[in-house]
C-alpha cells in the first residue's frame, strides 16, 4: 500500500524487505512513525470491510485483491498514485481513510477492472493480481495515473 505495489505484496510478501534498497524505501527517515500504524489500521479496515460485505468475498478473491483495495483506498484519499510512504504523513496525522461507503464503490470498480483485465489479457486471477501491468491498468482507468517502476 505504501509503495503503490499491491502486486508485489501479493506475489512476494515475504521477500519484500530482503533487499537493502527496498528496506530503505519502506523505512525512509522522511516517513513519520505514525504512518506505519496507520497502514496497519487501514489494511485491517479493508479486510474487515471485505469480510462484512453483503456479497461475501471468496477466499481466493480476498487473497488476490485485498492489497489492491487497500492501495486503491489510499490512492483515492491522496487523489493520485504515489510510490513513497512519506506521502501518507498527513493522512496518518489526521487518521483518515475512506469510509465503508467509499470502499464499496472502490471495490466494485476494482472487481470490474480485474475482470476486464483478465478478459483482455487472457490471464487468470492469480496472475492478474501479481501483475504490475494490472496495477497500472487499474489506476489509469480509474483516473489516478500510474507510477513508474524502477
Amino acid at each position: 500500500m505504501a509503495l503503490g505495489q499491491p502486486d508485489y505484496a501479493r506475489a512476494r510478501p515475504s521477500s519484500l524487505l530482503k533487499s537493502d534498497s527496498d528496506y530503505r524505501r519502506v523505512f525512509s527517515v522522511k516517513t513519520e512513525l505514525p504512518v506505519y500504524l496507520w497502514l496497519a489500521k487501514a489494511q485491517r479496515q479493508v479486510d474487515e470491510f471485505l469480510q462484512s460485505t453483503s456479497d461475501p468475498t471468496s477466499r481466493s478473491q480476498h487473497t488476490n485483491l485485498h492489497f489492491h483495495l487497500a492501495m486503491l483506498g489510499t490512492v483515492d484519499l491522496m487523489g493520485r498514485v504515489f510510490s513513497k510512504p512519506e506521502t501518507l504523513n498527513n493522512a496518518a496525522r489526521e487518521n483518515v481513510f475512506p469510509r465503508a461507503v467509499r470502499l464499496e464503490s472502490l471495490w466494485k470498480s476494482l472487481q470490474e477492472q480485474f475482470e476486464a483485465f483478465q478478459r483482455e489479457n487472457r490471464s487468470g486471477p492469480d496472475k492478474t493480481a501479481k501483475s504490475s501491468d494490472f496495477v497500472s491498468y487499474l489506476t489509469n482507468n480509474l483516473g489516478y495515473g500510474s507510477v513508474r517502476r524502477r
Side-chain angles (χ1 to χ4, degrees):
M1 180 182 347
L3 300 175
Q5 295 180 299
D7 55 298
Y8 199 79
R10 168 62 182 95
R12 297 166 283 291
S14 63
S15 63
L16 183 60
L17 299 177
K18 283 188 177 177
S19 79
D20 288 344
S21 65
D22 284 343
Y23 185 89
R24 284 191 300 276
R25 281 179 60 215
V26 173
F27 297 106
S28 164
V29 295
K30 295 177 184 175
T31 304
E32 296 171 7
L33 198 53
V35 168
Y36 303 104
L37 177 59
W38 182 88
L39 287 164
K41 287 179 177 180
Q43 186 64 59
R44 172 167 245 173
Q45 185 176 337
V46 164
D47 291 339
E48 288 173 354
F49 164 78
L50 289 173
Q51 291 169 357
S52 69
T53 59
S54 59
D55 180 23
T57 307
S58 73
R59 186 72 193 138
S60 70
Q61 196 173 33
H62 180 274
T63 299
N64 280 329
L65 295 178
H66 72 126
F67 292 130
H68 290 78
L69 183 58
M71 183 261 327
L72 204 51
T74 305
V75 165
D76 187 66
L77 189 65
M78 300 287 100
R80 63 179 174 80
V81 295
F82 59 90
S83 61
K84 296 179 180 179
E86 63 261 21
T87 306
L88 301 171
N89 286 340
N90 286 338
R93 263 188 245 116
E94 296 170 16
N95 198 28
V96 293
F97 193 74
R99 299 199 184 280
V101 170
R102 185 63 183 148
L103 285 177
E104 180 70 37
S105 174
L106 293 171
W107 176 239
K108 287 179 182 174
S109 296
L110 172 57
Q111 289 176 303
E112 290 168 3
Q113 296 299 314
F114 190 65
E115 290 169 13
F117 184 89
Q118 288 177 80
R119 276 192 311 275
E120 292 172 23
N121 293 277
R122 298 178 189 198
S123 62
D126 288 347
K127 184 177 179 182
T128 299
K130 296 174 184 178
S131 167
S132 62
D133 289 339
F134 171 63
V135 176
S136 293
Y137 176 93
L138 173 66
T139 57
N140 274 321
N141 284 349
L142 296 181
Y144 299 111
S146 65
V147 172
R148 282 192 192 156
R149 300 280 176 116
R150 319 190 264 147

